[in-house]
Amino acid sequence: MSQATSLVQSVDWLAIAPPTLAAATGLVVLVADLFLPAARKPLLGWFSTAGLAAAALLLLPLLDGHRRTFCLTGTPQACSYAADHFALAVQFLVLAGALLTALLSIDTVKDHGLPAGEYWFLLLSSAAGAALLPAARDLATLVIALEVASLPAFALVGLRRGDRLSSEAALKFFLSSVAATAVMLLGVSFVYAATGSLHLTRVAHALTALPDPRLATLAGAGVALTLVGFAFKTAAAPFHFWVPDTYVGAPLPIAAYLSVVGKAVGFSGLILVTVQGFPSYAHVWGPALAVLAALTMTTGNAAALRQDPARPRGAIRLLAWSSIGQAGYLLVPIAAAGYAHDPAHAIGATVAYALMYAAVNLGAFAAVALVARTSPANRLADYRGLYHRRPLVALALGFFLLCLAGLPPGVIGLFAKVTVFSAAVDAGLGWLAVVMAVNVVIALYYYLQWTAALFRPAEAPAEGTAGEPADRSRPRIPAALGTALALATVLGVALSGAPQLVLRFAAGALL
């Protein structure tokens, strides 16, 4: 009996409250959907949005960053859940990103006839898994959280029944993610076989002194396979092939969600396994991630240059390739952590950049969603003359694109890139800093080209072009969509007004 009692772990309910509330809201929505009449279904969207806002507010009592729970009895350092500063920063990104996605989704669910109960349940379930992952401190919880975040996303991508592009996108996303998960699980099993533990702190300690050379070989293979699995999740080249078609085929809010929250999940998991779980293998994952960063940013930016302005859904495809290029920048500080004496400080640059990217990229998707209401084909050519039709929307989209490019008045984008560049230089990765600088210049071309098109006079449409009349009317902006766009704009402008906050945040040790 005493042995059984010693296995019981205490639970800090406040520490796990944010992901728990998101999951509970999802269950309530799923049950409520059974009883609500069709005319009242929109209430589910607003209730889900309120639940995500409440989950984000529950981060406030945890700001001290010292709460841990599900710890091994007698070993307080070996815990499965830690609400530290790193976890709180990523959880804020995830929940805020899911909140803006929910605002984008309210009108999409209604206009496209998507099943409301299933949609909101899947979105909240994915957000709960995404919020759980950055706080996970053992490999089992990490993998489970990753799958809880990913599995509902497959269904969300393919939720437009009867749409060929949606079904194709869901299939590609599913197959690539299943392959990544299988590779990752194999790597985790190898690490567990070599170290005898799943907790990251114990794994890190055991990897420093493996008694048998055969175990060292097994552990090295496990580390490599785990990194390959996360490379899929972060859309790092050459494991990025699923991204453009998935974004194009998914409902627009889900594409926005994957571009921000999906990346946060992958990068936070990659940070945890490298910096906390495998620090003794920094000589392996440091150079590997540096090469992946260079390859990813170059692939994404080069492909973005080739987008045809007349291609249907070209705006979404350009944002997809742009997100791959941005993933390359996010990888740079993680690679630098493999060379740094204090990896925890290098990680701050990735989190700071991710927070900037989340705000402006979701804002860009909100503007694209607004344009799509009058131009369903969503070609890049449809944005020409947007300033003359919707001045505020054009100014907001131009601001977001300049932030992504790192140009004033998007000062926050410039400072975020400076922090990433500095992390590479400080780690002695001069060649990677040069590659990043070249890619930033390449990206300027397509960001500025899109921005300039917003302010050019619109061309007179040819009769019968694609069977689509060019709608120059100005229908009312839906309240939820307008709110999402306004929130992203205010956040981007506020951050650009105080860019030193990014430098200060990036200089802190989050782990």
Side-chain angles (χ1 to χ4, degrees):
M1 179 64 69
S2 60
Q3 183 180 2
T5 303
S6 66
L7 295 177
V8 176
Q9 299 176 355
S10 62
V11 180
D12 186 342
W13 290 103
L14 183 59
I16 65 173
T20 302
L21 181 58
T25 305
L27 291 174
V28 172
V29 165
L30 187 63
V31 174
D33 180 59
L34 300 174
F35 302 98
L36 280 178
R40 307 294 295 276
K41 298 288 187 184
L43 291 176
L44 298 176
W46 291 108
F47 180 76
S48 301
T49 305
L52 289 168
L57 289 175
L58 284 175
L59 296 173
L60 294 176
L62 307 174
L63 288 181
D64 60 353
H66 299 303
R67 287 181 176 269
R68 292 175 175 266
T69 188
F70 299 111
C71 300
L72 293 181
T73 305
T75 314
Q77 293 79 17
C79 299
S80 295
Y81 188 100
D84 54 19
H85 292 108
F86 171 79
L88 295 177
V90 179
Q91 284 178 337
F92 171 75
L93 189 160
V94 165
L95 294 172
L99 175 62
L100 286 176
T101 302
L103 289 171
L104 291 177
S105 300
I106 288 174
D107 293 289
T108 299
V109 171
K110 180 176 61 176
D111 295 342
H112 294 275
L114 301 178
E118 291 92 325
Y119 184 95
W120 294 112
F121 170 73
L122 291 168
L123 180 62
L124 288 162
S125 299
S126 180
L132 171 63
L133 190 139
R137 293 298 180 270
D138 70 62
L139 292 171
T141 306
L142 202 63
V143 171
I144 291 170
L146 189 62
E147 290 312 296
V148 172
S150 300
L151 288 173
F154 305 152
L156 286 168
V157 169
L159 206 56
R160 289 191 299 195
R161 299 164 185 168
D163 188 314
R164 183 185 61 81
L165 281 177
S166 182
S167 301
E168 182 182 338
L171 182 62
K172 288 183 178 179
F173 185 26
F174 173 75
L175 292 177
S176 62
S177 292
V178 166
T181 301
V183 171
M184 190 190 324
L185 283 173
L186 184 61
V188 168
S189 66
F190 283 178
V191 171
Y192 176 68
T195 62
S197 179
L198 290 172
H199 287 85
L200 294 176
T201 52
R202 289 191 166 188
V203 167
H205 177 73
L207 288 177
T208 59
L210 293 173
D212 191 330
R214 291 174 297 182
L215 289 179
T217 303
L218 186 66
V223 169
L225 290 173
T226 304
L227 292 179
V228 168
F230 276 105
F232 271 97
K233 301 295 185 181
T234 57
F239 312 109
H240 65 288
F241 53 85
W242 57 273
V243 173
D245 289 339
T246 298
Y247 284 22
V248 167
L252 197 52
I254 301 306
Y257 178 82
L258 292 175
S259 74
V260 171
V261 178
K263 274 191 173 47
V265 168
F267 278 100
S268 55
L270 185 62
I271 288 170
L272 289 172
V273 296
T274 53
V275 174
Q276 288 220 319
F278 310 145
S280 58
Y281 281 79
H283 62 285
V284 174
W285 55 259
L289 292 180
V291 172
L292 280 180
L295 185 60
T296 302
M297 66 178 76
T298 304
T299 300
N301 289 321
L305 286 175
R306 301 174 54 202
Q307 297 307 304
D308 182 359
R311 185 176 184 178
R313 296 180 175 86
I316 303 171
R317 194 172 289 274
L318 179 59
L319 286 176
W321 285 112
S322 164
S323 75
I324 294 173
Q326 299 288 340
Y329 305 147
L330 286 163
L331 280 169
V332 170
I334 308 177
Y339 296 85
H341 295 293
D342 187 4
H345 282 279
I347 295 309
T350 287
V351 179
Y353 194 96
L355 289 168
M356 178 282 301
Y357 167 77
V360 299
N361 206 58
L362 282 169
F365 268 102
V368 168
L370 185 57
V371 172
R373 296 182 67 83
T374 53
S375 302
N378 223 324
R379 298 179 293 255
L380 287 168
D382 295 332
Y383 291 80
R384 181 162 182 162
L386 181 63
Y387 178 75
H388 302 287
R389 305 193 299 273
R390 289 193 179 276
L392 294 179
V393 176
L395 289 172
L397 179 57
F399 172 72
F400 296 135
L401 294 175
L402 291 177
C403 283
L404 291 171
L407 290 176
V411 179
I412 184 64
L414 173 63
F415 272 67
K417 283 182 170 59
V418 167
T419 61
V420 172
F421 191 86
S422 299
V425 172
D426 293 342
L429 293 172
W431 68 270
L432 184 56
V434 171
V435 171
M436 179 181 172
V438 171
N439 272 277
V440 169
V441 174
I442 292 174
L444 289 178
Y445 177 79
Y446 62 83
Y447 285 131
L448 289 178
Q449 188 180 47
W450 193 357
T451 304
L454 302 175
F455 301 95
R456 289 177 182 156
E459 294 179 346
E463 290 188 12
T465 301
E468 269 185 38
D471 188 353
R472 295 293 181 257
S473 60
R474 295 183 56 184
R476 182 181 62 85
I477 298 177
L481 182 54
T483 302
L485 183 59
L487 284 175
T489 305
V490 168
L491 184 58
V493 171
L495 289 174
S496 291
Q500 67 276 12
L501 293 177
V502 175
L503 300 177
R504 195 179 309 150
F505 185 87
L510 294 180
L511 283 173

